[in-house]
């Protein structure tokens, strides 16, 4: 696979590209990724080459403000980049989820000493990932990974799950229980001895996100690499809503990919049905109607997600203004917007991916074309957090004013 043609890139003093250049480079990278997407997914070939291009283009710097040396891209810009990349392969934006969650804190919070080191890595194009979840516990969120003192350092032992993007990243954050039985986090380089990325994700979809396990065997941790999770802070709550929209944007890429595949299929291979009066599939009124509905569904999904992104940009602006009352109101609206978007976008997305098969006959089900990857990927993304729970929480808010889950972050 060849690299994109060199472009003239506008950079600031730290060598970080502009917001416009990042958007342009995302389109170049997506064009490369799309060429072999069906085969790559079918054979489960992880896209290391694509992530090398993402690092080279410094896509991961997008949300860093200009005042902190970054391009100053908005949340709407970042979501647009995800949909651009996802149109080629929805695995790619999904695998960037932990990275943009990490950089959002750098974007909105004051930069302290340790954050300065991380910021420098981000601006250099490095990617961040990690994992908190574990398998085999009684309830979600329980942690068995241990961080034990070892002289003036520590040792990390355990096994993590849902380590999305870790195979492509340079640094990883992992949760653990310390010697005092309290939760603690670590942020460490992923090439450190004792870290094994297993790539054992066994889902029917999103197969190339490296979302499986990470084995941590006596991994050395330095004192300055200890962290604390920030889910309950205001920025943490905002990032939780953004993580949910990130999933929807990844799935939106699959929706647009289904539309693109449908158009190509009709023009290149599909035949009319036996009883059709049309000479070719592209002249068949029923095929035209179905493709029109698929296009409308894809448009509606992207429009919903773009509007939710603008809502989250208003939250980011509230942080910049420092008005506590405005921040709280914006956080609540952001949680509502992203949850409502997921509920409806999921329904539209799955319909589009199903209707793709109505454009032709048996040839549409060819494993070589691998159209089913779109439906499988969308269904897998929207299984991450129960949408029925989100709908109930929203209904409870409108009927009774309940905001408990909306204000706790996590999956809202």
């Amino acid at each position: 696979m060849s690299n994109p043609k060199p472009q003239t890139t506008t950079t600031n003093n730290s060598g970080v590209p502009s917001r416009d250049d990042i958007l342009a480079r995302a389109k170049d990278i997506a064009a490369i990724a799309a060429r072999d997407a069906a085969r790559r997914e079918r054979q489960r070939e992880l896209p290391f080459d694509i992530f090398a291009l993402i690092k080279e283009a410094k896509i991961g710097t997008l949300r860093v403000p200009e005042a902190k040396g970054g391009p100053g891209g908005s949340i709407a810009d970042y979501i647009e980049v995800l949909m651009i990349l996802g149109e080629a392969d929805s695995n790619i934006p999904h695998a960037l989820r932990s990275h943009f969650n990490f950089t959002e804190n750098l974007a909105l919070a004051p930069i302290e000493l340790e954050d300065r080191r991380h910021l420098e890595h981000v601006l250099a194009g490095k990617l961040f990932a990690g994992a908190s979840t574990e398998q085999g516990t009684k309830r979600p969120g329980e942690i068995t990974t241990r961080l034990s003192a070892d002289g003036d350092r520590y040792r990390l032992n355990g096994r993590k799950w849902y380590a999305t993007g870790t195979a492509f990243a340079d640094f990883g954050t992992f949760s653990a229980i310390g010697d005092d039985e309290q939760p603690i986090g670590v942020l460490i380089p992923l090439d450190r001895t004792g870290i094994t990325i297993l790539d054992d994700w066994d889902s029917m979809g999103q197969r190339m996100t490296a979302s499986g396990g990470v084995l941590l065997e006596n991994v050395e941790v330095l004192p300055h690499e200890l962290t604390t999770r920030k889910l309950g802070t205001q920025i943490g709550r905002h990032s939780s809503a953004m993580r949910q929209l990130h999933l929807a944007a990844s799935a939106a890429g699959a929706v647009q990919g289904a539309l693109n595949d449908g158009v190509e299929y009709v023009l290149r291979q599909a035949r009319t049905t036996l009883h059709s009066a049309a000479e070719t599939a592209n002249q068949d009124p029923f095929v035209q109607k179905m493709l029109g509905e698929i296009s409308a569904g894809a448009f509606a999904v992207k429009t919903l997600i773009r509007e939710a992104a603008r809502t989250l940009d208003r939250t980011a602006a509230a942080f910049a203004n420092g008005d506590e009352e405005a921040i709280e109101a914006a956080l609540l609206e952001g949680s509502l917007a992203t949850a409502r978007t997921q509920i409806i976008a999921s329904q539209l997305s799955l319909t589009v991916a199903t209707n793709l098969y109505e454009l032709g006959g048996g040839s549409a089900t060819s494993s070589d074309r691998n159209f089913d990857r779109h439906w499988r990927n969308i269904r897998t993304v929207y299984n991450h957090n129960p949408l029925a729970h989100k709908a109930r929480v929203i209904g409870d808010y409108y009927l009774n004013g309940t905001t408990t889950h909306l204000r706790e972050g996590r999956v809202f």
Side-chain angles (χ1 to χ4, degrees):
M1 184 172 285
S2 60
N3 288 340
K5 294 180 180 179
Q7 291 187 349
T8 301
T9 301
T10 304
T11 62
N12 60 22
N13 292 333
S14 64
V16 173
S18 69
R19 168 258 187 204
D20 290 343
D21 283 316
I22 287 177
L23 287 165
R25 290 286 281 130
K27 293 177 181 177
D28 291 339
I29 294 169
I32 293 172
R35 293 173 192 165
D36 207 21
R39 182 202 61 80
R40 188 197 296 268
E41 201 272 351
R42 188 172 61 250
Q43 298 179 1
R44 192 167 177 156
E45 181 182 310
L46 294 183
F48 288 104
D49 51 346
I50 301 301
F51 278 89
L53 295 175
I54 287 171
K55 292 180 186 182
E56 179 187 346
K58 298 186 177 180
I59 301 293
T61 67
L62 182 57
R63 278 290 293 142
V64 179
E66 292 181 1
K68 296 178 180 178
S74 65
I75 294 175
D77 293 331
Y78 138 68
I79 292 297
E80 200 67 29
V81 165
L82 298 183
M83 291 196 289
I84 290 169
L85 294 172
E87 185 173 340
D89 180 352
S90 66
N91 291 276
I92 294 169
H94 190 176
L96 291 168
R97 188 176 180 228
S98 291
H99 175 83
F100 280 105
N101 178 73
F102 180 79
T103 61
E104 193 66 10
N105 189 76
L106 295 178
L108 298 181
I111 299 298
E112 299 175 356
L113 177 61
E114 190 55 37
D115 292 326
R116 172 58 59 182
R117 296 190 187 96
H118 301 324
L119 178 60
E120 290 171 357
H121 287 309
V122 170
L123 294 176
K126 303 295 185 183
L127 294 178
F128 287 69
S132 177
T133 303
E134 299 180 11
Q135 288 181 304
T137 59
K138 291 182 179 179
R139 292 183 60 81
E142 292 182 2
I143 302 170
T144 63
T145 298
R146 304 293 306 197
L147 182 71
S148 305
D150 182 22
D152 61 349
R153 302 186 178 191
Y154 301 86
R155 294 288 170 175
L156 185 66
N157 287 278
R159 183 170 179 150
K160 291 297 184 182
W161 188 244
Y162 289 136
T164 304
T166 302
F168 314 115
D170 303 284
F171 295 88
T173 302
F174 302 101
S175 60
I177 297 295
D179 289 336
D180 60 357
E181 302 301 321
Q182 296 301 309
I184 188 69
V186 304
L187 201 169
I188 52 181
L190 289 170
D191 60 359
R192 186 161 290 174
T193 300
I195 300 176
T196 304
I197 298 169
L198 301 173
D199 188 32
D200 54 351
W201 178 241
D202 62 353
S203 172
M204 67 176 181
Q206 297 302 100
R207 295 173 174 175
M208 299 184 300
T209 58
S211 290
V214 174
L215 190 60
L216 305 164
E217 298 177 292
N218 209 34
V219 180
E220 182 180 62
V221 177
L222 306 179
H224 72 271
E225 294 171 335
L226 303 184
T227 67
T228 54
R229 296 195 75 192
K230 302 172 181 178
L231 290 176
T233 66
Q234 288 181 323
I235 292 177
R237 288 161 53 195
H238 162 71
S239 297
S240 293
M242 205 178 78
R243 285 197 305 275
Q244 297 304 304
L245 191 61
H246 190 121
L247 287 175
S250 299
V255 175
Q256 188 65 39
L259 171 61
N260 295 346
D261 277 352
V263 172
E264 181 187 30
Y265 171 68
V266 169
L267 293 177
R268 294 193 178 186
Q269 183 175 352
R271 298 183 296 180
T272 60
T273 60
L274 181 63
H275 302 290
S276 174
E279 291 293 324
T280 58
N282 64 303
Q283 293 299 325
D284 190 312
F286 295 101
V287 171
Q288 293 171 350
K289 173 182 180 293
M290 184 56 63
L291 194 58
E293 291 181 359
I294 290 172
S295 172
F299 173 79
V301 168
K302 292 172 76 171
T303 300
L304 278 168
I305 290 169
R306 285 167 175 157
E307 179 58 32
R310 286 191 285 270
T311 301
L312 295 185
D313 268 323
R314 291 194 287 272
T315 306
F319 278 110
N321 294 332
D323 183 334
E324 185 70 23
E325 186 174 339
I327 291 172
E328 280 297 324
L331 285 170
L332 179 59
E333 186 55 38
S335 293
L336 287 167
T338 54
R340 289 182 295 211
T341 295
Q342 284 186 311
I343 291 167
I344 299 303
S346 66
Q347 298 168 13
L348 293 171
S349 298
L350 289 168
T351 298
V352 165
T354 299
N355 285 345
L356 173 59
Y357 291 97
E358 300 295 338
L359 297 175
S363 63
T365 67
S366 165
S367 61
D368 185 60
R369 287 194 169 275
N370 199 14
F371 286 164
D372 60 298
R373 73 188 188 278
H374 300 305
W375 190 94
R376 288 187 287 103
N377 289 345
I378 292 165
R379 180 66 273 174
T380 300
V381 164
Y382 281 115
N383 254 56
H384 276 61
N385 305 116
L387 296 180
H389 170 61
K390 295 195 177 197
R392 187 207 66 77
V393 168
I394 293 170
D396 192 14
Y397 167 73
Y398 278 106
L399 292 173
N400 305 306
T402 307
T403 61
T404 304
H405 295 305
L406 293 168
R407 292 187 183 279
E408 70 184 0
R410 296 181 178 270
V411 300
F412 284 96

